[in-house]
């Protein structure tokens, strides 16, 4: 039997405005509970919302970046439902007149480049935040209520959790490039709902759509989708079906859990918000925003390939984050060798970032320091392995490479006489390795080189050692 997975996503992204969507309360993460809210946030009688112009412009910016049509006449609606994090009983959102419609994001799937189309991008306000205590109490913080959001809704065109992951990565990178959101999933500024079901491609039978709410990590989203794929297929194999429901992902148990049956749009009784006038956007303003859009990730990737002669893979990694791309371009101002800089960043720099679970902008390493370090290695003042040690020290202390090399006496030994003395001593102490090499055991050379590097405290010039070692063995 063959099955096809159908996945659509709804992504909520908080916008980086200074103030909230409809009032002057600060739009800042954290703070003492219920200190960043006012009568407008809570929808108290008599409070009137005023639209944040910057939030509208950020949403337009996002729509242009994702190839959407920008509607010049749009409206805010009330989405009515009761939940304790929504004290006023309705959320200000958009229904039939969203700000942005259509559009697409391209991903590189196993089958090649694939366009995932968007239904819409609309504006809305965030709700408060609930915290459930171990004692069974629920605490509510309304600091988040009224924070401006865009909701990006895709068509159900992704067919694997991996495609959904690639889509989310491209989306996050673009939003960060155009600087409308910090996309910090750990702080809830990027959250994802997944709609998923399965079709039996032989019988045409399909499961009802399950919605998985509020996934706040890409890893969690992928695991949740994989779990639901398996659950839906098992139901189809038993001749059963899912109910149309909303579930949540339990990261600890590694399973989805029923929250509630899924409502229809009609259940929300959308109606135009009578406190907010229709929004009219001039074409000239849309054109102005479009003309001021920064270089987008896919454009930067193409430029990196053509300008710096990088492979598609390397260019893709270096442009995946705006900060890493900027770091690369700043570094090559100090060393005119883009391939060498790419190799260092793709290798040791990214490895250390991963080990320390930090981003490039959070390190003590500067483009100038990396450029100088690569130059020092390239000139043969220190060898490659010592260069890696110096890089680690820069990460730890932020010191200049020359300072570290001087303080730790790391200058490479390239003096022929000094090297001969070290090599000779190592050969005297390892006669069996000489015999092994002469009997065809080439691995003995690797052992001897290791002993020489150890004896020189890693400072011996490796090229000179390799040449000298063979010559001196043959003389014995």
């Amino acid at each position: 039997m063959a099955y096809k997975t159908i996945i659509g996503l709804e992504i909520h992204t908080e916008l980086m405005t200074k103030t909230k969507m409809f009032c002057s309360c600060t739009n800042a993460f954290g703070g003492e509970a219920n200190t960043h809210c006012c009568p407008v946030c809570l929808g108290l009688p008599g409070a009137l919302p005023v639209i944040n112009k910057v939030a509208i412009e950020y949403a337009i910016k996002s729509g242009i970046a994702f190839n959407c049509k920008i509607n010049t006449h749009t409206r805010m609606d009330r989405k009515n439902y009761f939940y304790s994090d929504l004290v006023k009983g309705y959320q200000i959102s958009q229904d039939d007149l969203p700000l942005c419609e259509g559009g697409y994001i391209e991903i590189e799937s196993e089958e090649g480049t694939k366009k995932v189309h968007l239904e819409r991008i609309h504006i809305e306000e965030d709700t408060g935040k609930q915290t459930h205590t171990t004692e069974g109490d629920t605490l509510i913080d309304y600091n988040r209520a009224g924070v401006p959001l865009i909701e990006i809704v895709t068509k159900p065109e992704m067919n694997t959790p991996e495609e959904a992951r690639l889509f989310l990565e491209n989306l996050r990178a673009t939003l960060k490039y155009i600087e409308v959101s910090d996309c910090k999933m750990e702080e809830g500024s990027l959250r994802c709902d997944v709609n998923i079901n399965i079709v039996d491609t032989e019988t045409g039978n399909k499961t009802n759509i399950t919605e998985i709410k509020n996934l706040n990590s890409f890893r969690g989203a992928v695991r949740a989708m994989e779990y639901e794929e398996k659950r839906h297929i098992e139901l189809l194999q038993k001749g059963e079906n899912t109910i149309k429901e909303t579930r949540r992902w339990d990261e600890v148990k590694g399973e989805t859990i029923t929250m509630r049956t899924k409502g229809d749009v009609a259940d929300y009784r959308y109606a135009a918000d009578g406190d907010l006038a229709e929004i009219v956007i001039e074409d000239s303003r849309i054109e102005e925003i479009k003309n001021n859009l920064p270089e987008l990730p896919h454009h930067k990737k193409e430029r990196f390939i053509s300008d710096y002669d990088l492979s598609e893979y390397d260019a893709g990694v270096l442009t995946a984050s705006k900060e890493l791309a900027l770091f690369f371009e700043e570094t090559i101002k100090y060393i005119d060798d883009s391939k060498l800089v790419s190799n260092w960043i793709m290798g040791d720099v990214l490895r250390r970032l991963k080990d320390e679970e930090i981003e490039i902008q959070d390190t003590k390493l500067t483009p100038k320091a990396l450029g100088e370090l690569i130059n020092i290695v390239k000139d043969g003042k220190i060898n490659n392995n010592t260069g890696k040690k110096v890089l680690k020290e820069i990460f730890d202390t932020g010191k200049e490479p020359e300072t570290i090399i001087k303080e730790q006496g790391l200058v490479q030994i390239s003096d022929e006489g000094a090297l001969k003395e070290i090599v000779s001593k190592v050969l005297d102490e390892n006669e069996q390795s000489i015999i092994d090499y002469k009997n065809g055991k080439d691995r003995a050379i690797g052992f001897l080189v290791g002993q020489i590097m150890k004896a020189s405290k890693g400072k011996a010039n490796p090229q000179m050692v390799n040449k000298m070692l063979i010559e001196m063995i043959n003389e014995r």
Side-chain angles (χ1 to χ4, degrees):
M1 299 181 81
Y3 301 99
K4 183 178 181 181
T5 302
I6 301 171
I7 298 170
L9 300 176
E10 297 172 16
I11 302 103
H12 291 87
T13 306
E14 290 183 352
L15 301 176
M16 289 193 299
T17 54
K18 290 181 180 174
T19 57
K20 291 188 180 179
M21 188 71 220
F22 301 111
C23 66
S24 59
C25 287
T26 181
N27 176 18
F29 176 77
E32 188 179 346
N34 297 311
T35 56
H36 300 166
C37 53
C38 69
V40 174
C41 302
L42 304 177
L44 298 184
L48 288 175
V50 178
I51 288 182
N52 185 330
K53 183 182 173 187
V54 177
I56 301 294
E57 294 190 341
Y58 280 8
I60 294 172
K61 212 172 175 182
S62 305
I64 295 171
F66 296 135
N67 314 291
C68 299
K69 172 194 169 194
I70 310 300
N71 288 324
T72 52
H73 288 72
T74 183
R75 185 187 70 217
M76 303 307 300
D77 299 293
R78 292 185 179 185
K79 181 182 180 182
N80 295 280
Y81 67 96
F82 174 76
Y83 207 61
S84 52
D85 61 4
L86 189 65
V87 69
K88 59 190 177 188
Y90 64 87
Q91 180 184 26
I92 303 178
S93 181
Q94 292 193 294
D95 182 24
D96 56 344
L97 288 176
L99 180 61
C100 314
E101 291 183 273
Y104 63 87
I105 295 177
E106 288 186 341
I107 58 171
E108 297 299 326
S109 71
E110 289 183 354
E111 298 170 357
T113 303
K114 176 176 180 175
K115 273 185 183 176
V116 178
H117 293 88
L118 307 183
E119 290 277 358
R120 57 195 279 157
I121 300 177
H122 65 254
I123 320 155
E124 61 185 26
E125 60 178 341
D126 211 341
T127 60
K129 183 180 179 182
Q130 294 187 119
T131 303
H132 305 287
T133 69
T134 53
E135 290 78 24
D137 297 320
T138 296
L139 307 176
I140 305 176
D141 179 4
Y142 291 106
N143 282 352
R144 203 179 68 179
V147 166
L149 291 176
I150 51 172
E151 180 173 345
I152 302 165
V153 183
T154 78
K155 290 182 181 292
E157 294 182 342
M158 287 157 277
N159 301 116
T160 65
E162 176 62 11
E163 285 187 359
R165 185 187 67 78
L166 292 170
F167 176 90
L168 287 168
E169 285 188 346
N170 284 9
L171 178 136
R172 180 174 63 177
T174 302
L175 291 172
K176 291 183 76 173
Y177 262 76
I178 61 176
E179 298 182 341
V180 300
S181 175
D182 59 20
C183 296
K184 290 181 178 176
M185 299 188 81
E186 69 279 11
E187 294 182 2
S189 56
L190 184 71
R191 311 189 295 274
C192 169
D193 300 341
V194 174
N195 289 295
I196 183 170
N197 67 323
I198 299 287
V199 177
D200 182 331
T201 56
E202 294 177 2
T203 65
N205 292 334
K206 60 184 178 183
T207 55
N208 287 318
I209 296 171
T210 296
E211 180 186 44
I212 316 168
K213 292 289 285 184
N214 288 330
L215 295 157
N216 59 7
S217 75
F218 290 174
R219 180 175 176 272
V222 169
R223 289 183 68 204
M225 284 183 267
E226 290 172 344
Y227 178 88
E228 280 298 297
E229 266 188 322
K230 185 170 178 290
R231 189 176 73 84
H232 282 231
I233 289 171
E234 287 174 352
L235 286 170
L236 277 179
Q237 289 172 339
K238 289 189 286 187
E240 299 175 5
N241 202 340
T242 55
I243 57 172
K244 194 175 178 184
E245 63 178 346
T246 298
R247 300 172 75 90
R248 70 174 176 85
W249 171 245
D250 188 316
E251 184 69 35
V252 177
K253 293 181 179 176
E255 62 185 31
T256 62
I257 297 165
T258 297
M259 290 173 69
R260 57 181 181 265
T261 55
K262 190 169 170 55
D264 294 321
V265 172
D267 296 329
Y268 293 116
R269 293 173 290 113
Y270 277 100
D273 192 308
D275 291 336
L276 292 163
E278 185 178 278
I279 303 168
V280 179
I281 304 160
E282 293 179 351
D283 289 329
S284 59
R285 182 60 187 138
I286 296 172
E287 197 60 28
E288 187 181 355
I289 293 171
K290 185 177 183 179
N291 291 337
N292 286 305
L293 212 60
E295 186 178 34
L296 298 176
H298 57 286
H299 292 148
K300 196 180 284 288
K301 178 182 171 184
E302 289 168 7
R303 183 169 63 79
F304 272 32
I305 293 170
S306 63
D307 287 5
Y308 303 123
D309 196 26
L310 299 178
S311 70
E312 185 169 344
Y313 176 78
D314 288 6
V317 172
L318 291 171
T319 57
S321 119
K322 184 178 183 178
E323 291 78 11
L324 192 64
L326 178 63
F327 190 93
F328 169 81
E329 292 206 286
E330 285 294 311
T331 303
I332 56 177
K333 291 178 181 175
Y334 298 95
I335 171 168
D336 186 20
D337 191 331
S338 55
K339 187 61 186 169
L340 197 52
V341 172
S342 169
N343 289 343
W344 271 82
I345 292 179
M346 298 274 294
D348 289 273
V349 173
L350 286 184
R351 191 174 304 119
R352 187 147 295 280
L353 292 178
K354 185 180 178 185
D355 289 346
E356 297 185 14
E357 297 182 339
I358 53 175
E359 302 293 333
I360 189 71
Q361 64 273 21
D362 301 322
T363 72
K364 294 176 180 173
L365 179 70
T366 64
K368 179 173 180 287
L370 181 61
E372 288 177 355
L373 175 61
I374 298 172
N375 267 323
I376 291 168
V377 175
K378 191 177 180 183
D379 292 344
K381 188 172 179 181
I382 60 174
N383 61 41
N384 205 52
N385 285 336
T386 305
K388 292 178 181 180
K389 290 179 187 173
V390 174
L391 180 68
K392 179 181 181 307
E393 190 71 14
I394 297 172
F395 263 85
D396 293 341
T397 66
K399 290 182 178 177
E400 298 294 324
E402 288 280 9
T403 304
I404 295 168
I405 292 165
K406 186 177 178 183
E407 284 179 353
Q408 300 189 13
L410 298 175
V411 175
Q412 183 166 263
I413 302 171
S414 297
D415 179 84
E416 192 170 338
L419 282 178
K420 269 190 175 177
E421 191 174 326
I422 296 170
V423 174
S424 180
K425 184 171 184 295
V426 168
L427 290 178
D428 289 345
E429 293 170 351
N430 296 279
E431 290 184 1
Q432 183 58 46
S433 294
I434 299 171
I435 295 168
D436 289 345
Y437 174 70
K438 289 186 174 179
N439 287 332
K441 294 181 180 178
D442 292 340
R443 285 185 301 176
I445 287 293
F447 171 77
L448 290 169
V449 169
Q451 294 303 303
I452 293 164
M453 297 309 290
K454 185 178 176 183
S456 69
K457 297 180 180 175
K459 296 188 287 184
N461 183 318
Q463 287 78 27
M464 290 182 70
V465 165
N466 285 329
K467 181 172 180 292
M468 198 175 286
L469 184 59
I470 301 295
E471 289 174 354
M472 291 176 70
I473 288 176
N474 289 336
E475 288 170 2
R476 293 196 173 206

